[in-house]
Amino acid sequence: MAAPALKHWRATLERVEKFVSPRYFADCNLRGRLLGDTCPLAALSSFLTPDRLPYPEAVRQHFRPAQVGDSFGPTWWTCWFRVELTIPEAWVGQEVHLLWESDGEGLVWRDGQPVQGLTKEGEKTSYILTDKLEEGDPRSLTLYVEVACNGLLGAGKESMIAAPDPEKMFQVSRAELAVFYRDVHSLLVDLELLLGIAKGLGEDNQRSFQALYTANQMVNVCDPAQPETFPVAQALASRFFGQRGGESQHTIHAVGHCHIDTAWLWPFKETVRKCARSWTTAVQLMEQNPDFVFACSQAQQLEWVKSHYPGLHARLQEFACRGQFVPVGGTWVEMDGNLPSGEAMVRQFLQGQNFFLQEFGKMCSEFWLPDTFGYSAQLPQIMRGCGITRFLSQKLSWSLVNSFPHHTFFWEGLDGSRVLAHFPPGDSYGMQGNVEEVLKTMVKNRDKGRTNHSAFLFGFGDGGGGPTQTMVDRLKRLHNTDGLPRVQLSSPGRLFTALEGDSGQLCTWVGELFLELHQGTYTTHAQIKKGNRECERILHDVELLSSLALARGAQFLYPAAQLQDLWRLLLLNQFHDVVTGSCIQLVAEEAMCHYEDIRSRGNTLLSAAAAALCMGEPGPEGLLIVNTLPWERTEVLALPRSGGAHSLALVTVPSMGYAPAPAPTSLQPVQPQQPVFVVQETDGSVTLDNGIIRVRLDPTGCLTSLVLVASGREAIAEGAVGNQFVLFDDVPLYWDAWDVMDYHLETRKPVLGQAGTLAVGAEGGMRGSAWFLLQISPNSRLSQEVVLDVGCPYVRFHTEVHWHEAHKFLKVEFPARVRSPQATYEVQFGHLQRPTHHNTSWDWARFEVWAHRWMDLSEHGFGLALLNDCKYGASVRGSTLSLSLLRAPKAPDASADMGRHEFTYALMPHKGSLQDAGVIRAAYSLNFPLLALPAPGPAPAAAWSAFSLSSPAVVLETVKQAESSPQGRTLVLRLYEAHGSHVDCWLRTSLPVQEAVLCDLLERRNPAGHLPFRDARLKLTFSPFQVQSLLLVLGPARTETLPLGL
C-alpha cells in the first residue's frame, strides 16, 4: 500500500468529481460504465396528431416508419411512437432498460396501460424493461410512447415564461436498449453524497475531511473496468454512512411530492397527461420502495385521472390503502389564497374533502398550498371548519423585502382560529435529495430550539415529473449519518405529529401571510377577474332561489348535479395561475369559456327557480323583482318594457325575497325621497345632488368635490381632484404577469382630460348622470358615466376602456380629506387594516395590496369608502385611495388585457364608522344587483321574504341545499359576523322549518348544536368575524304543481 500523502483539498475534490462526471473522462471514469452493451430498436414508427387521443384510438392509427432525430410538431400536438424491440440472448441475467431522450414529454404504454413518464428535464430517460432478464422471459416486446409536443414547463419562446412558440418542433434524440449496471449506480450515488458532504460541511469540519478522504480512497480501490473491485469501494462507503449521529440530531421528514400546476404555461388538457406521466412513475417507486410515501394534492387532478386513466386511479387507491399514496390539501385545486371569495374557499374544501372521502376513504388532515401568492387571514378559520388543523406552504420564502421569521409556528386568523403551520426550511417543494438541500433544511430553520423536525418535499414539480429512484436512493443512504441531520422517508401525518409533540415553544403569527412579490396578480387579466366575481354572484343567486323554490314547492327539483358541475368549473378557474392571470393565452381563453358556460347555464337555472317561485301565486303576468341579499333594499332599477325599452322605477324589495314589479303608472319616487338634481354650469362643470351626497365634476370629468349633505363635510382633499386616472410604467425585473415593482410609483403620470367633454346624461329625478371621454394615450381611450340615484349613499362610475398598451399600469385615485395611519380592506368573511404609511420595510413592501369589494379610509366621525364590482388590486398611501384597473404585461400571454373592458366602481363618503354607515351593505348591493326576472305565469301580487336578520353586523352569505339531504329538504345557511364585534342575532324565516342545528363547513352536524326554533326565529351568538353554518330541516311544502328545475 502506498504511503499516506498530504492532500490538497481542491485537487482531491476535483479528482472525485471527475471520476463521476458525465462530461469529463467518461471514457475511463465510473460514470462511463453505468451502461453496458446497447442494442438498436427492432423497429420505430410514429403517428402525428393535433389531438390528445385516448390509447385505444391512437394505436389504431396508421404508423409510418420513423428514425431517431426526426422532427415532429408543432407545439401542443402529439406524436405516438410504436417501439418494437428484441432483447439479445446474451443479456440473460442483466438489468435491461429502454433508453429514451426527447425534448417532448413522454408516457410509456405497456399492455394497454400507462406505466412510466419519460421526461429528459425530469431526469427520467430510461424505462426498466426487466430488472433481471430470466431464461424464460419473452425477448420481443412492443411498447407505445406518447410524446407531447411541449416540455416540462411548456414551450416558451426563448425563455420559460415567454409566450409559447407555436411553431416549435421536437425530436427524439435517443431510442435504444441498454444493459444497466445497478452496482455502478449505487457507487455513483455514494460518491456524489460524499462529495456533497465534503463541500457542504466545508474545510473547517472534521467530518467533511472524513467524507472527502473516504471518497478519495474509493477512487483508489475502484477500477471501473473491473467490477470485482466495486464491493471494496462499496464497503468503504457503507462504513462511513454507517457511523451514526447523536440523539439530538435534527430529523428531516422526506416526502415524495410532485407539484403539478393545474394550468399555467400549458393548457388544462395537457395537465391531465402530466398527471398520468408523473403518477405512473410514482406508482413504480411505491412498488419498488415500500417505505416511500408520495403526497398528492388537488382533487380535480385525481378526478381527471379517474376519468381518463381508470387503471392508474385504481392503483393509486391500492397504494392509499397501504399508506404510501397520501392525498393532501383537502381542496378541489390549489387555489389562489387572496382573490376567491370566502364562500368559494369553503367550496374548495367541500368539493375536495368529499372527493377524497369518496375515493380514498378518508378526508385530508393537512391543508397543502405550497405555491400560491399570499394567504388570507380567514384561512385558519376556514381550515378548522373543514376538519383541518395543519397547514403546509413555502411561498413566503419568495418575499422580496422581508424574510418571514418562522418555519414552524401557529397561525392565528382573523377570528382567532389557530392552525399549526410549517414551511419546509429548504424553501422548496422540489428537492432532489442532495446533501446541500439536506444541510440547508437544517441550517436555515428559523425555529431552532423550538422544534427539531422539518419537511423535505422531493421530486420535480410545477410541470410535474415527481421523484426519481436516484432521489430515493440518496435519502435512504443519508438515513442516519454522523454530521448530518437524520433523514426519514416519512409522511405528512408523521411530520405534523412530531411537530405537534414539539409545539410548546412555538410562536404565533397573527393575521394574513402577505407575499411581498407577485402583487401584479391582483390586476392582470381583468376579464378573468371580472368573470370570477360575476360567477361567484350567479352561483350565490341560483342557490338561494333554488333553495326558496324547494322550500315552497313540493315538485321543484333542486339542481344539485348542475350546480356541482358549475361550482367545480369556477373552482378550477380559481387555481393560483388562472384567476391570477399568470397563465398563457390558451389557458385564459379556456377560463373565459368556463365563465361563459357558468353564466349561460346559471341564468337558465335562475329562470327556472324564479318560475317555480311564481307558480300558484295570484297576480298579473310580468316581472318578479328579487333581492338575493339579507336586508331590505330600496333602489332604482331599470325595468324592461314592451318594445325593448327600459324605464326607471324605485322599488323596495324585502330581504332574501321578492316583490312584484310596479306598474308603469307608479314609477315616480315616493316622498320623502329627494329627487336627484343635475346642474351644468357655464364653465362646463356638472353637479349631481340627491340630498345625501353632492358630487361636483370639473369640465374634464375629474371629481372636485364630494360633500355629505347633512353635515356639509367635504370628502376630497383641499386643492386636489378625485377620479384622477394615472398611468405608470410597469416593467418588473422578470415575472411580467406576476410582478409590479415598487419603483413603478416613481413613474406616475396623471392622464389629463380636455375641458368641454363632460355632458349631462340622465337629467335628474330618479337618476342623474354625466359622462365624458378621455384619451389615455394615442392607442387607448376611456368613456365614463358618473351616476347618482335617488336615495343612494354612493356615486357610481360606469367605465368602459379600450386598452392597447405595453407595460403600462392604469389606476384611478381619490385624495381624501381624511387622515389615518391605517386603511381598512374587505377580505373573505370580514376585513382587516393595513398601514397607509411606509415606516418600516414591512409597511412599504405592501405598496400594492389586494381587497375584495371595498376599501375604506376613516378618521373619527367620518370616512370615505371606495367600492368596486370586479377589481382586486388596491392601495392607500397617505390619504389617497387608489384602485388598480388594468395592466399590460407581455409574458406569458402577449395579449393579456388588450381590448375592451367594462367595470364599475363607486365612492361613498360617510358619517361615523364604516360599520355604522353601511359601507359593507353598500358594497354588497353594488355587486348583487336586484334581479328583474320574467314570470312565465302570473307574478305574485305581494312581497315575500324568506329570511331576515336582527343585526346589521351579521351577513347571511349562503343559502343552499345540504350536500347529503334526505328527500332534499335540508338547507344549509352560512352566516358571518362582518363588523368585528361580539353580537347576538335573531334569524327570522318564513320557511317551514322543523329542526335547526349547527354544523361545520363540511355540513357535518354539531352533536351539541341544536338550536331552539320558536315563533319562526332562532338566536345565534357571534364573536368577531366568526363564520357559522347551520342545517335547517324543512317540513312538507305546499303541493301545487311546480315545474322541475332544469
Side-chain angles (χ1 to χ4, degrees):
M1 185 176 177
L6 288 171
K7 298 273 175 220
H8 182 263
W9 169 271
R10 183 68 244 172
T12 307
L13 196 73
E14 285 204 30
R15 179 199 186 197
V16 181
E17 287 177 334
K18 296 299 189 293
F19 192 65
V20 299
S21 171
R23 183 176 178 185
Y24 300 104
F25 305 109
D27 60 325
C28 62
N29 71 6
L30 187 63
R31 177 75 61 180
R33 298 298 188 271
L34 183 60
L35 300 175
D37 293 339
T38 60
C39 171
L41 303 179
L44 184 66
S45 53
S46 68
F47 157 68
L48 186 64
T49 172
D51 303 315
R52 296 175 176 89
L53 299 179
Y55 174 85
E57 187 177 343
V59 297
R60 291 198 305 266
Q61 305 302 315
H62 177 62
F63 284 73
R64 293 181 172 84
Q67 294 182 12
V68 171
D70 287 351
S71 289
F72 55 90
T75 303
W76 309 131
W77 284 45
T78 300
C79 194
W80 283 83
F81 289 89
R82 181 187 289 132
V83 181
E84 299 170 61
L85 51 91
T86 302
I87 304 173
E89 283 293 334
W91 291 5
V92 169
Q94 304 286 0
E95 181 172 335
V96 182
H97 288 204
L98 167 66
L99 305 182
W100 185 277
E101 294 184 17
S102 171
D103 46 1
E105 288 193 88
L107 176 62
V108 182
W109 291 81
R110 184 171 183 172
D111 300 327
Q113 291 297 322
V115 290
Q116 188 195 298
L118 286 171
T119 307
K120 191 173 182 179
E121 299 155 289
E123 295 184 4
K124 296 175 184 69
T125 55
S126 72
Y127 167 63
I128 302 174
L129 294 167
T130 173
D131 55 7
K132 185 178 182 182
L133 185 66
E134 302 289 353
E135 288 285 356
D137 289 346
R139 302 292 187 264
S140 295
L141 189 64
T142 298
L143 306 174
Y144 288 87
V145 181
E146 177 188 8
V147 179
C149 294
N150 54 263
L152 203 62
L153 295 174
K157 191 171 185 176
E158 297 175 0
S159 81
M160 181 185 78
I161 66 165
D165 180 355
E167 304 303 323
K168 186 172 182 178
M169 300 300 286
F170 296 78
Q171 65 173 205
V172 174
S173 56
R174 187 176 194 180
E176 60 182 342
L177 305 185
V179 172
F180 182 88
Y181 292 125
R182 185 64 56 181
D183 51 357
V184 174
H185 167 81
S186 298
L187 280 173
L188 289 170
V189 168
D190 284 347
L191 285 163
E192 287 170 345
L193 291 174
L194 289 166
L195 279 170
I197 294 169
K199 291 177 185 176
L201 296 181
E203 296 183 53
D204 297 328
N205 186 284
Q206 170 74 12
R207 189 66 171 156
S208 166
F209 276 87
Q210 291 173 359
L212 183 60
Y213 283 20
T214 298
N216 184 71
Q217 187 61 18
M218 288 172 67
V219 177
N220 287 339
V221 302
C222 178
D223 183 346
Q226 296 183 13
E228 61 272 18
T229 65
F230 296 172
V232 181
Q234 200 80 65
L236 288 169
S238 295
R239 187 171 67 191
F240 176 90
F241 289 111
Q243 294 172 326
R244 302 304 182 203
E247 291 184 14
S248 66
Q249 289 296 89
H250 189 80
T251 299
I252 286 176
H253 294 256
V255 181
H257 183 50
C258 176
H259 180 65
I260 304 177
D261 286 319
T262 299
W264 181 30
L265 304 175
W266 53 86
F268 291 104
K269 288 180 181 176
E270 193 54 48
T271 305
V272 179
R273 300 199 296 187
K274 283 179 174 288
C275 293
R277 292 189 284 261
S278 303
W279 298 348
T280 50
T281 309
V283 164
Q284 270 192 344
L285 290 175
M286 289 185 279
E287 286 174 334
Q288 296 159 5
N289 305 273
D291 50 352
F292 167 71
V293 174
F294 183 73
C296 182
S297 67
Q298 307 197 73
Q300 170 70 88
Q301 294 181 7
L302 286 157
E303 198 271 338
W304 280 335
V305 165
K306 181 185 177 185
S307 299
H308 293 268
Y309 306 93
L312 172 58
H313 183 69
R315 297 302 315 275
L316 297 178
Q317 290 176 315
E318 178 188 330
F319 282 104
C321 291
R322 298 185 196 174
Q324 286 184 264
F325 181 80
V326 180
V328 291
T331 51
W332 190 246
V333 297
E334 289 186 7
M335 72 282 195
D336 180 66
N338 301 325
L339 307 184
S341 69
E343 185 60 30
M345 285 187 165
V346 171
R347 299 307 177 89
Q348 287 283 355
F349 286 99
L350 185 64
Q351 291 295 325
Q353 289 284 55
N354 284 344
F355 179 88
F356 290 126
L357 179 63
Q358 178 181 326
E359 298 297 326
F360 297 97
K362 61 180 180 180
M363 294 185 178
C364 304
S365 56
E366 309 87 10
F367 182 35
W368 194 274
L369 197 60
D371 190 32
T372 199
F373 312 146
Y375 305 88
S376 164
Q378 274 291 26
L379 275 169
Q381 180 176 194
I382 293 171
M383 278 185 248
R384 292 197 72 100
C386 296
I388 288 175
T389 57
R390 300 160 165 181
F391 172 52
L392 183 140
S393 182
Q394 67 82 44
K395 195 66 175 186
L396 286 199
S397 66
W398 283 47
S399 282
L400 190 65
V401 181
N402 299 285
S403 293
F404 192 74
H406 301 293
H407 282 109
T408 307
F409 59 100
F410 286 108
W411 180 21
E412 183 175 307
L414 205 55
D415 72 316
S417 295
R418 293 208 317 171
V419 294
L420 177 60
H422 180 69
F423 299 169
D427 295 338
S428 172
Y429 48 75
M431 297 294 201
Q432 297 184 29
N434 60 50
V435 173
E436 180 185 4
E437 297 165 339
V438 167
L439 288 172
K440 179 182 179 184
T441 297
M442 177 181 68
V443 171
K444 296 293 185 180
N445 177 25
R446 295 198 180 97
D447 294 282
K448 298 183 186 76
R450 285 190 281 266
T451 184
N452 208 22
H453 296 265
S454 294
F456 186 97
L457 309 182
F458 67 97
F460 290 98
D462 292 333
T468 66
Q469 183 63 53
T470 300
M471 296 177 191
V472 176
D473 292 342
R474 289 169 185 156
L475 293 166
K476 284 182 175 180
R477 196 56 151 158
L478 295 177
H479 169 62
N480 188 359
T481 296
D482 187 26
L484 297 177
R486 187 178 292 110
V487 178
Q488 295 178 356
L489 289 181
S490 187
S491 68
R494 291 200 291 273
L495 163 73
F496 276 102
T497 298
L499 292 174
E500 286 162 352
D502 256 358
S503 63
Q505 298 298 313
L506 294 180
C507 300
T508 298
W509 181 272
V510 179
E512 68 181 329
L513 295 171
F514 187 88
L515 178 65
E516 298 169 356
L517 198 70
H518 293 358
Q519 288 141 289
T521 59
Y522 316 149
T523 305
T524 301
H525 261 303
Q527 295 289 19
I528 292 179
K529 308 288 195 285
K530 183 176 182 179
N532 180 71
R533 185 80 64 84
E534 284 185 356
C535 290
E536 287 177 339
R537 171 185 60 79
I538 288 168
L539 294 181
H540 167 277
D541 290 354
V542 171
E543 287 185 329
L544 172 65
L545 264 65
S546 298
S547 298
L548 301 189
L550 173 75
R552 297 188 69 195
Q555 303 302 313
F556 180 79
L557 184 64
Y558 188 92
Q562 297 95 317
L563 277 165
Q564 176 172 275
D565 288 346
L566 297 182
W567 265 111
R568 285 182 171 184
L569 269 185
L570 179 61
L571 300 178
L572 174 61
N573 274 6
Q574 289 179 342
F575 179 74
H576 63 256
D577 278 309
V578 180
V579 72
T580 54
S582 52
C583 53
I584 59 173
Q585 182 179 353
L586 200 55
V587 175
E589 290 170 352
E590 288 181 275
M592 295 306 294
C593 289
H594 293 162
Y595 291 133
E596 189 50 45
D597 194 15
I598 296 169
R599 288 188 188 101
S600 172
R601 293 164 61 191
N603 284 327
T604 301
L605 294 174
L606 262 183
S607 298
L613 279 173
C614 292
M615 292 299 289
E617 289 279 356
E621 183 174 341
L623 291 171
L624 191 66
I625 311 301
V626 179
N627 172 16
T628 61
L629 295 179
W631 46 80
E632 182 181 273
R633 295 159 70 183
T634 299
E635 295 178 14
V636 175
L637 189 60
L639 298 178
R641 297 302 179 193
S642 58
H646 286 76
S647 58
L648 297 179
L650 186 66
V651 295
T652 298
V653 191
S655 64
M656 283 194 169
Y658 59 69
T665 54
S666 61
L667 298 186
Q668 293 306 310
V670 179
Q671 298 301 322
Q673 295 275 16
Q674 178 183 312
V676 181
F677 293 104
V678 181
V679 178
Q680 184 155 28
E681 306 292 347
T682 54
D683 65 356
S685 64
V686 172
T687 301
L688 310 173
D689 188 335
N690 68 355
I692 300 172
I693 58 175
R694 184 167 60 248
V695 179
R696 184 179 174 88
L697 303 168
D698 75 9
T700 70
C702 285
L703 183 63
T704 56
S705 176
L706 178 63
V707 173
L708 202 54
V709 172
S711 62
R713 176 71 156 80
E714 174 62 62
I716 301 299
E718 188 175 353
V721 294
N723 203 35
Q724 174 67 65
F725 293 95
V726 286
L727 208 56
F728 299 85
D729 294 340
D730 186 14
V731 184
L733 298 177
Y734 176 71
W735 297 100
D736 200 357
W738 293 259
D739 286 347
V740 57
M741 310 305 295
D742 57 351
Y743 53 73
H744 87 284
L745 296 170
E746 301 172 41
T747 67
R748 179 182 179 276
K749 299 177 186 67
V751 181
L752 302 177
Q754 283 192 320
T757 63
L758 186 67
V760 172
E763 295 183 349
M766 227 170 292
R767 172 172 290 169
S769 71
W771 65 275
F772 63 91
L773 302 173
L774 181 64
Q775 195 70 34
I776 299 171
S777 75
N779 299 316
S780 302
R781 67 185 189 276
L782 173 153
S783 63
Q784 188 173 74
E785 184 181 20
V786 185
V787 181
L788 186 62
D789 283 349
V790 63
C792 187
Y794 53 82
V795 56
R796 303 196 304 278
F797 300 82
H798 297 306
T799 313
E800 179 182 325
V801 182
H802 292 264
W803 181 247
H804 301 280
E805 300 295 328
H807 295 115
K808 298 293 180 183
F809 200 151
L810 181 68
K811 305 184 185 184
V812 64
E813 295 178 347
F814 293 92
R817 190 164 168 253
V818 177
R819 180 171 175 79
S820 175
Q822 59 188 20
T824 306
Y825 301 83
E826 188 191 35
V827 299
Q828 297 83 356
F829 297 132
H831 56 262
L832 49 72
Q833 286 74 43
R834 299 183 181 112
T836 60
H837 54 76
H838 291 173
N839 280 0
T840 71
S841 60
W842 293 87
D843 300 331
W844 67 256
R846 287 167 164 76
F847 60 86
E848 178 82 0
V849 297
W850 61 273
H852 282 198
R853 291 166 291 217
W854 58 267
M855 56 178 159
D856 182 90
L857 185 67
S858 290
E859 59 187 38
H860 177 68
F862 183 80
L864 183 63
L866 180 53
L867 325 176
N868 76 83
D869 72 345
C870 62
K871 298 299 175 186
Y872 295 91
S875 65
V876 181
R877 189 178 181 191
S879 295
T880 298
L881 292 86
S882 175
L883 186 66
S884 298
L885 303 177
L886 295 168
R887 294 186 71 218
K890 298 303 171 188
D893 179 1
S895 67
D897 283 317
M898 297 300 98
R900 180 176 173 274
H901 298 266
E902 278 190 71
F903 49 84
T904 297
Y905 52 87
L907 204 58
M908 179 178 170
H910 60 83
K911 177 185 176 184
S913 70
L914 70 90
Q915 291 92 334
D916 294 339
V919 166
I920 298 167
R921 287 187 171 186
Y924 265 98
S925 295
L926 183 68
N927 280 269
F928 290 82
L930 295 173
L931 304 175
L933 299 174
W944 175 78
S945 169
F947 297 101
S948 60
L949 298 162
S950 66
S951 170
V954 177
V955 176
L956 174 51
E957 178 72 13
T958 299
V959 179
K960 65 180 285 287
Q961 185 187 60
E963 296 292 302
S964 55
S965 172
Q967 290 82 48
R969 296 194 60 75
T970 303
L971 299 182
V972 171
L973 273 59
R974 188 145 24 255
L975 309 93
Y976 74 95
E977 197 289 320
H979 286 182
S981 60
H982 286 85
V983 65
D984 291 337
C985 177
W986 288 94
L987 169 70
R988 180 177 292 276
T989 180
S990 59
L991 302 188
V993 174
Q994 284 188 336
E995 181 190 10
V997 60
L998 292 171
C999 64
D1000 67 5
L1001 297 180
L1002 298 181
E1003 305 179 8
R1004 299 176 296 191
R1005 283 174 171 250
N1006 179 344
H1010 178 76
L1011 296 169
F1013 183 77
R1014 297 188 195 89
D1015 302 324
R1017 64 179 192 163
L1018 55 85
K1019 185 180 180 182
L1020 295 165
T1021 299
F1022 289 85
S1023 56
F1025 304 120
Q1026 183 183 5
V1027 180
Q1028 292 199 57
S1029 302
L1030 57 143
L1031 296 166
L1032 294 185
V1033 180
L1034 301 178
R1038 62 189 185 186
T1039 57
E1040 294 94 343
T1041 302
L1042 297 182
L1044 297 183
L1046 294 182

